[in-house]
Amino acid sequence: MGAQLRVYKRRIRSVTATKKITKAMEMIAASRIVKAQRQVAASTPYATELTRAVTAVATGSTTKHPLTTEADAPARAAILLITSDRGLAGGYSANAIKAAERLTERLRGEGKEVVTYVIGRKGVAYYGFRERKIADSWTGFTDSPTYADAKRAAAPLIEAVTQETAEGGVDELHIVFTEFVSMMTQNPVNNRMLPLSLDTTKHEEGKGEILPLFDFEPSAEDVLDALLPRYVESRIYNALLQAAASEHAARRRAMKSATDNAGDLIKSLSRLANAARQAEITQEISEIVGGASAS
């Protein structure tokens, strides 16, 4: 009976230590969410206004720019998938990967070859384990991304879009990331970044709104050449910040669940340990009474 009590006590100490770790990770993730939310709030207006500026240039000119013009028969599409570098975040990375897989199947169903780019060790490990080719990957910054990280990831994507498909280029650029909605809700989404969709502008024209006229110096094509790389970088940076906030929120929720489960397990083990202790005391009393009666 004493051996059983020692087993319970050892398990209680082990679970208590685990609970302390998960509680600390929950608090760290909660503190980082605030900073990530501020960064998202600060970057979103810039990305939105830059998108409007690029759209205005594209619709205010008759220039057929390769980054704003739909290919007649798109043959290749690039997907940038954003996952996490670390685990212990519930289904955060798995949900983003599933969204990328659904997008891949849809694009292949349309007859397009898919080229995959991945940010985050979890995504790299997923494709590596399945021996699936990745065009390029980046790791080590998913929980605290900077604009330099976004710029580094955007460079090969912009190069691929500007190249001819026969030379390894792509006709479309999609991004899959986890959008931060609230502390409790984070949704994996996929957006097409290039070619730029002009549906919003056309919709506004249908309302009868008067759109401004533009003069371009030195030319509309040069303006697009300068704006579109910044557009891609800003969209990737905003997606990285959204993904980072989502990762911290998912990790906080997962660690809170683990902490609560550890607390419940400690209570259950404590009850079993108390029962074992009471049984041991009862047995000792019975032995004493039995010995006294025999004498």
Side-chain angles (χ1 to χ4, degrees):
M1 191 64 69
Q4 186 179 16
L5 182 59
R6 286 194 295 272
V7 170
Y8 287 137
K9 288 183 176 180
R10 186 165 58 247
R11 290 190 63 189
I12 289 173
R13 288 195 297 269
S14 176
V15 176
T16 301
T18 301
K19 181 180 178 182
K20 291 180 180 178
I21 295 173
T22 56
K23 183 63 177 179
M25 295 183 68
E26 176 190 347
M27 295 176 66
I28 291 171
S31 66
R32 290 179 176 176
I33 291 174
V34 178
K35 178 182 177 181
Q37 283 181 294
R38 291 174 181 171
Q39 290 179 318
V40 171
S43 69
T44 299
Y46 174 78
T48 301
E49 290 303 321
L50 186 56
T51 302
R52 290 178 180 175
V54 175
T55 303
V57 174
T59 56
S61 69
T62 57
T63 302
K64 297 297 182 180
H65 195 277
L67 300 185
T68 57
T69 304
E70 296 276 357
D72 294 333
R76 303 185 81 219
I79 296 178
L80 174 62
L81 168 63
I82 300 178
T83 62
S84 66
D85 285 320
R86 299 185 295 124
L88 300 178
Y92 165 77
S93 293
N95 292 334
I97 291 172
K98 289 178 182 178
E101 291 288 76
R102 289 193 295 269
L103 176 60
T104 299
E105 291 178 4
R106 178 171 67 81
L107 293 174
R108 287 177 176 168
E110 296 173 358
K112 301 170 186 174
E113 180 186 353
V114 178
V115 183
T116 305
Y117 297 79
V118 180
I119 294 177
R121 291 189 177 93
K122 290 298 179 179
V124 173
Y126 175 85
Y127 285 93
F129 179 77
R130 289 159 180 76
E131 297 182 351
R132 294 168 60 179
K133 185 178 179 181
I134 298 176
D136 206 344
S137 63
W138 304 268
T139 59
F141 55 82
T142 59
D143 60 345
S144 183
T146 64
Y147 194 86
D149 298 322
K151 191 172 182 178
R152 184 155 51 95
L157 296 171
I158 296 171
E159 182 180 357
V161 172
T162 56
Q163 288 180 338
E164 296 292 336
T165 54
E167 300 174 358
V170 297
D171 299 309
E172 297 177 0
L173 173 57
H174 300 258
I175 184 169
V176 179
F177 66 98
T178 305
E179 181 183 29
F180 181 84
V181 179
S182 67
M183 295 285 286
M184 297 302 298
T185 306
Q186 301 87 43
N187 299 324
V189 297
N190 66 82
N191 296 330
R192 194 185 78 170
M193 288 195 296
L194 295 174
L196 186 64
S197 176
L198 307 179
D199 293 340
T200 303
T201 304
K202 292 177 181 179
H203 180 67
E204 291 177 353
E205 290 176 349
K207 294 180 180 180
E209 298 181 9
I210 299 175
L211 298 178
L213 298 176
F214 294 91
D215 290 327
F216 303 104
E217 288 290 342
S219 67
E221 185 174 0
D222 290 334
V223 173
L224 285 173
D225 287 338
L227 281 179
L228 280 166
R230 302 299 168 272
Y231 160 76
V232 174
E233 293 167 4
S234 68
R235 299 308 299 185
I236 292 177
Y237 181 52
N238 183 259
L240 285 172
L241 294 177
Q242 295 258 9
S246 299
E247 178 183 347
H248 294 316
R251 182 168 292 112
R252 174 187 173 276
R253 189 166 60 252
M255 291 301 98
K256 185 180 186 306
S257 177
T259 301
D260 294 342
N261 291 339
D264 293 339
L265 183 56
I266 290 172
K267 290 180 182 179
S268 177
L269 291 173
S270 297
R271 285 194 292 266
L272 293 174
N274 291 334
R277 185 183 301 108
Q278 291 172 357
E280 185 177 352
I281 293 172
T282 301
Q283 182 177 356
E284 290 178 356
I285 293 174
S286 300
E287 290 174 354
I288 293 172
V289 172
S293 299
S295 62

